[in-house]
């Protein structure tokens, strides 16, 4: 293969340290002049995915770039939703989160009655222009705090944009698995709402990575059968499946 599309969590690192052999593998592929790209369902923008590689001992210069679901969602906000307002389901404040809407032209709505859509990029908070409600969905998977909001949003015909299709994230060392935006988006659909997903397994996400690579013989390396294997297969990209 001329190029490889790498997932991050569960393939190159476990959220705390690089996985065994990952650093050496990336260094070897770089010496072989292989083209490498990151493809992640992180709801943060691509620059953050690359910036965080160094804390795992991974060489960011080995990669041509990164494509995250958060970046693809941000581009959609900028192009399709400027001047509109949303209810934002987000992570807790922090790097790559607090300033996410900057540059999109999208603002927070005062409540669901004034919103144009629901943005789903995290499972820690529900944000409007007037308040931030903290929820415990990330650790517990509890969807009840969203139900009333979703019913009102769906009654108004509001679409949801999901910036991370993952249902759950594998546990970091010493911690439990966490529930991700795809878990919340599934409830929205079950209640009758319409969701647009950005990220794997959408074929467009893989096609964007292949364009960035600019290589013909490409393989994807991932650890999720649904998001990585099925998504790559839909895009007709061979898969290296990391089973554990």
């Amino acid at each position: 293969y001329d190029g490889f599309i790498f997932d991050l969590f569960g393939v190159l690192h476990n959220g705390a340290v690089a996985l065994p052999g990952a650093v050496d593998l990336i260094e070897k592929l770089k010496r072989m002049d292989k083209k490498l790209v990151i493809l992640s369902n992180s709801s943060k923008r691509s620059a953050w995915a690359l910036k965080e590689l160094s804390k795992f001992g991974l060489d960011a210069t080995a990669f041509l770039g990164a494509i995250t679901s958060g970046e693809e969602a941000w581009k959609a906000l900028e192009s399709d939703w400027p001047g509109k307002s949303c209810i934002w389901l987000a992570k807790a404040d922090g790097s790559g989160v607090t300033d996410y809407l900057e540059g999109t032209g999208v603002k927070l709505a005062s409540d669901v009655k004034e919103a144009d859509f629901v943005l789903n990029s995290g499972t820690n908070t529900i944000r409007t222009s007037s308040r931030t409600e903290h929820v415990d969905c990330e650790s517990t998977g509890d969807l009840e705090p969203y139900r009333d909001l979703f019913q009102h949003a769906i009654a108004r015909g509001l679409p949801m944009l999901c910036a991370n299709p993952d249902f759950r994230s594998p546990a970091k060392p010493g911690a439990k698995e966490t529930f991700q935006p795809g878990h919340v988006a599934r409830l929205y659909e079950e209640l009758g709402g319409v969701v647009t997903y950005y990220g794997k397994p959408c074929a467009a996400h893989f096609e964007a990575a292949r364009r960035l690579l600019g290589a013909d013989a490409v393989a994807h390396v991932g650890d999720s059968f649904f998001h990585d294997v099925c998504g790559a297969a839909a895009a007709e990209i061979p898969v290296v499946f990391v089973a554990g």
Side-chain angles (χ1 to χ4, degrees), residues 146-167:
Y146 301 104
R147 190 175 297 274
D148 184 65
L149 168 66
F150 286 2
Q151 288 173 337
H152 282 87
I154 292 167
R156 292 195 58 235
L158 303 188
M160 171 182 282
L161 278 60
C162 182
N164 178 350
D166 286 352
F167 305 122

Side-chain angles (χ1 to χ4, degrees), residues 107-140:
K107 60 183 180 180
L108 292 177
S110 57
D111 57 41
V112 68
K113 296 178 182 178
E114 303 298 327
D116 297 297
F117 66 98
V118 178
L119 174 61
N120 176 13
S121 65
T123 53
N124 301 104
T125 64
I126 301 173
R127 301 174 186 238
T128 66
S129 62
S130 59
R131 66 190 296 260
T132 296
E133 177 185 352
H134 293 271
V135 295
D136 197 27
C137 181
E138 183 179 76
S139 60
T140 66

